[in-house]
Amino acid sequence: MTPLKTGSKTDSKTAVKPAQNGAHKAAIRQENEEQILAAAEKVFADYGFKGATTALIAEVANVPKANVHYYFSTKEALYRRIMEDVCDHWLEAAMTFDNSADPAIILRGYIEAKMDLSRARPYGSRLWAHEIIRGAKFSSDYISTTVKNWLDSRVVVIRGWIAEGKMDHIEPYSLMYMIFATTQHYADFGAQIEIFNNDQPLSETQFAEAKENVVRIILKGVGLNG
Amino acid sequence: MTPLKTGSKTDSKTAVKPAQNGAHKAAIRQENEEQILAAAEKVFADYGFKGATTALIAEVANVPKANVHYYFSTKEALYRRIMEDVCDHWLEAAMTFDNSADPAIILRGYIEAKMDLSRARPYGSRLWAHEIIRGAKFSSDYISTTVKNWLDSRVVVIRGWIAEGKMDHIEPYSLMYMIFATTQHYADFGAQIEIFNNDQPLSETQFAEAKENVVRIILKGVGLNG
DNA sequence: ATTTATCTTGACCGTTTGGTCAGGTTAAAA
DNA sequence: TTTTAACCTGACCAAACGGTCAAGATAAAT
């Protein structure tokens, strides 16, 4: 009955978040969905759509398997949801490739953004790799519209730079593929890089150096900043 | 009993290949194994070890599933056999990276060999990609010994070139990763490239141009042939 | 011609798969 | 307090999975 006791009673469990109407239920739903999505991203990134199992996703998410199906009707629905998330993040990085400034600054910014994305979200990159290796069954529409439109518009920008004599006469698609490949390699082939690095993940310093090397080789390679 | 009858009897089936001892049986075995291996390489390249099924491999190989297990005891044995084949081809390409000539010629030769391998054997490259993305569970020993030794020795060679002032001061690992990534991208992400290329596979001409662009960007990027 | 060794395969087995469901618990609304 | 709506989950199912096997077919050796 002392203030202390009353205080401790309503403290940790009950009084944490009385907040708005239905706040607790909503919070439960959000937390569970996030946990399942995070687990699914890892498992799909490791095994691809077909190789992944809902049982393993449930285990990694630390929920019963039936609960996974309570929040996401089917394995495919869960997969599509994660693919959308990955694409959203990809588009964010793509936006750093504007055409308002000096080519070297633009390319540097884009390469660095993609390298940082590989570092921060390797699972998304690996999931994308699975999807494309398999033949882009789920995402061919997205690639042939959204991604292709974005890429083609950047190709036009690069051709403009070439026409203005700002950089070497390089096929822009070859350049963009090289940037895609190299930046994503640090996520997709991270396990191999780690082995080559004496079984140690790349340190922050090592990764920063790698990023700078990639930028320098590509910029100089196309005749920018030379 | 006439020569004719005897002749016709032993004709089409029996006398086709009397050749050496057991030649026919050996030929059957070889053909079936090759058919199964080719099918398995495709299916594993599409779905990875876990996602691939022996039933699909059998279907693609056009043999009953039980026959797959007659020639290859388990799914894992079949997978390992294909991984070995892929590694052998990889080592062949690696051998083009010798240290007997001018750096630009060596690097050009190696990049071209790897590009050609991606073109000729995309399934092998994709299978390797699955393997590494998954965490190199089956091949970590091979990578940490054979491949690492090869890579480290090339890194020494490149450091030599840098010390002699033949090329820019670039971290050799970053350079090699860029070569791995870019060349393999043309196999692993072939589906994506095809979509960007208006749903057409890269023609021989386009591929030759891409190869030349990759060589030029990288060589110039590290200060060779500039 | 007979034996022997290899090749072939439909049928089958135990396990794992994605997905369902009834019956329960918990928290918000009445 | 009662009702209602949302959340939770062990147990279950049909289909697909990797792998086995017995019985037959074929070709080499005797």
Side-chain angles (χ1 to χ4, degrees), chain A residues 69-88:
Chain A
H69 283 95
Y70 174 74
Y71 285 102
F72 301 93
S73 55
T74 64
K75 184 184 171 183
E76 186 177 325
L78 182 52
Y79 184 79
R80 287 185 184 279
R81 167 64 183 276
I82 290 169
M83 282 296 295
E84 283 171 26
D85 288 359
V86 170
C87 291
D88 287 349

Side-chain angles (χ1 to χ4, degrees), chain B residues 49-208:
Chain B
F49 175 73
K50 200 156 178 268
T53 69
T54 55
L56 182 56
I57 291 169
E59 191 190 317
V60 172
N62 216 22
V63 297
K65 198 184 69 166
N67 216 347
V68 172
H69 282 96
Y70 174 73
Y71 285 102
F72 301 93
S73 56
T74 64
K75 182 184 173 185
E76 187 176 324
L78 181 53
Y79 184 80
R80 287 186 183 277
R81 167 66 181 275
I82 291 168
M83 282 296 296
E84 282 171 27
D85 289 359
V86 170
C87 291
D88 286 350
H89 280 261
W90 186 89
L91 277 176
E92 261 183 62
M95 285 313 146
T96 70
F97 195 130
D98 58 28
N99 57 351
S100 62
D102 161 60
I105 293 173
I106 295 170
L107 272 190
R108 167 178 287 274
Y110 178 62
I111 293 168
E112 288 181 347
K114 284 227 69 195
M115 286 291 283
D116 290 339
L117 200 58
S118 275
R119 183 82 170 171
R121 266 185 143 246
Y123 299 125
S125 182
R126 283 173 207 158
L127 183 51
W128 185 263
H130 271 293
E131 176 67 13
I132 306 304
I133 289 175
R134 235 264 316 280
K137 293 280 187 297
F138 287 93
S139 56
S140 62
D141 280 357
Y142 178 76
I143 297 174
S144 60
T145 57
T146 309
V147 184
K148 187 173 193 303
N149 288 342
W150 176 86
L151 178 62
D152 287 347
S153 71
R154 302 308 122 173
V155 165
V156 168
V157 171
I158 296 172
R159 286 203 204 287
W161 296 341
I162 295 171
E164 292 168 28
K166 289 180 175 171
M167 59 172 275
D168 292 351
H169 188 88
I170 293 283
E171 169 59 44
Y173 288 103
S174 298
L175 168 60
M176 293 303 290
Y177 295 161
M178 177 175 279
I179 294 174
F180 293 164
T182 304
T183 57
Q184 287 161 211
H185 183 86
Y186 282 84
D188 303 346
F189 286 70
Q192 185 174 269
I193 290 175
E194 186 170 326
I195 293 175
F196 290 150
N197 195 43
N198 302 311
D199 296 306
Q200 293 283 327
L202 252 44
S203 68
E204 282 303 315
T205 307
Q206 284 178 311
F207 185 77

Side-chain angles (χ1 to χ4, degrees), chain A residues 28-29 32 64 66 70-71:
Chain A
I28 286 176
R29 168 167 281 269
N32 279 332
Y70 174 74
Y71 285 102

